[in-house]
Amino acid sequence: MNKVLVIEDEQSLLEMIQFNLELEGYSVSTINSGREALAMKNQLDNYNLVILDVMLPEVSGLDICRAFREVSTVPIIFISAKGNTIDRIAGLKLGANDYLPKPFDLEEFILRCSILVQPTKKQVAIPSEIKIGNYRVLPASFEVENSVSGEKQELSKREMELIQLFFSRKDEVVSRDEILNTLWTNDQFPTGRTIDNYILSFRKLFEEDPKNPQFFHSIRGVGYKFTLLD
C-alpha cells in the first residue's frame, strides 16, 4: 500500500484529500503545521508521496520542501492558492515534482498522485532510430526522415530531447510539470503553452490527421501520453 503524507492547515481540505486518497487505496498521514512537518524530515523513507501546502503556519511549504530535499527524493506535490508562473517555478526549482494551484479538480489531483507513486522503472535505452508512423527519428544527427519519400528535416535540440523523453515513457502519462522539471532546469522555464506548441508541431509532422492524433495525446489538465502503434 502506498503511503502519503499530507501537510495542509486548512482542515476541510485536509479531510477531503485524506478521504479521497483513502478511497483510492492509499494509507494517509496528516499534518497541519509547518513546524510539525519539519519534525518529519528524517521519517520520509516511510512515505511514497508528500502533498505539501505552500502557505503554512510557522514554517512555509517552500522551506519545508528545501529541508526535505536535503535528505530525501520522495515525490512532492505542492498545492497552493498562489498558482502563477513565478510561484510554480519557485516550487519546482526547490525540487518539487509537481505544483497544483487551488482550487483543483479532484480527478486531476488523484491522477497526478498516481503518476508520481508509480514504481521507478529502469532507464530505457534510446535506439539509434525511433520509428513514428512513416518517419524515422535519428537522434545522433537530429534528423527526421520520411521513410516513403526519403526527405529529411532537422529537429532542434529541445525537440529531440522531448521525443526521447516521450519514447522513454511511452504509454505513460507525463505531466507538464515533470517535463519542465526534466528538460527546463534552473532559469529556463517555459509556460505550459510552450510545451503545447511543441506538441502541435509534432502532430503536424508525424500525424496523418493532427486533429485526431495517434501518437501524441493530450491528457486534459495533466500532460501528455506518447503511444507507438504496433
Side-chain angles (χ1 to χ4, degrees):
M1 178 180 292
N2 287 309
K3 297 182 178 180
V4 181
L5 177 63
V6 182
I7 306 169
E8 167 63 60
D9 66 315
E10 185 181 337
Q11 189 62 30
S12 60
L13 179 58
L14 180 66
E15 292 175 356
M16 184 272 287
I17 290 174
Q18 180 179 10
F19 176 75
N20 284 279
L21 286 175
E22 288 177 345
L23 283 179
E24 295 294 322
Y26 296 93
S27 172
V28 181
S29 300
T30 63
I31 291 175
N32 58 17
S33 79
R35 192 173 302 279
E36 186 181 354
L38 278 183
M40 298 292 292
K41 177 178 176 180
N42 295 318
Q43 300 179 42
L44 296 175
D45 287 344
N46 296 326
Y47 297 95
N48 303 98
L49 178 66
V50 174
I51 310 298
L52 177 58
D53 185 20
V54 173
M55 301 176 68
L56 291 165
E58 301 180 304
V59 183
S60 78
L62 296 177
D63 289 335
I64 292 168
C65 181
R66 185 181 294 109
F68 282 7
R69 279 292 171 256
E70 292 175 355
V71 298
S72 176
T73 60
V74 61
I76 296 173
I77 299 179
F78 269 128
I79 53 176
S80 176
K82 301 172 66 178
N84 62 43
T85 300
I86 293 175
D87 293 318
R88 286 180 56 254
I89 290 173
L92 294 170
K93 280 187 174 182
L94 286 174
N97 301 81
D98 208 341
Y99 193 111
L100 194 58
K102 300 177 185 176
F104 47 79
D105 179 82
L106 184 58
E107 184 177 357
E108 177 185 345
F109 169 73
I110 295 296
L111 179 56
R112 288 174 182 259
C113 291
S114 67
I115 290 170
L116 288 177
V117 299
Q118 289 174 353
T120 302
K121 297 182 179 180
K122 294 182 179 179
Q123 187 171 357
V124 176
I126 303 299
S128 58
E129 67 175 57
I130 300 170
K131 294 182 179 179
I132 306 177
N134 292 326
Y135 292 87
R136 298 169 59 235
V137 179
L138 308 171
S141 61
F142 288 78
E143 291 179 319
V144 174
E145 180 183 21
N146 187 312
S147 58
V148 177
S149 67
E151 294 181 1
K152 292 183 179 181
Q153 69 179 74
E154 290 187 0
L155 294 180
S156 69
K157 181 175 182 290
R158 185 68 72 207
E159 287 172 327
M160 186 60 73
E161 289 174 339
L162 269 171
I163 288 177
Q164 290 176 314
L165 173 61
F166 283 129
F167 179 82
S168 69
R169 299 287 301 279
K170 60 179 179 290
D171 299 320
E172 298 179 21
V173 177
V174 185
S175 72
R176 287 179 176 83
D177 285 333
E178 183 177 353
I179 294 171
L180 293 175
N181 222 15
T182 301
L183 299 183
W184 277 271
T185 56
N186 299 323
D187 60 343
Q188 294 186 342
F189 277 78
T191 64
R193 176 59 61 187
T194 302
I195 304 175
D196 290 340
N197 288 335
Y198 277 106
I199 300 301
L200 289 174
S201 177
F202 288 160
R203 287 175 178 166
K204 290 179 181 178
L205 174 59
F206 295 107
E207 305 280 3
E208 290 187 10
D209 181 1
K211 293 184 178 180
N212 295 286
Q214 295 179 299
F215 309 109
F216 295 92
H217 307 276
S218 294
I219 308 301
R220 185 175 63 86
V222 182
Y224 313 93
K225 183 169 72 171
F226 174 63
T227 303
L228 285 178
L229 304 179
D230 294 331

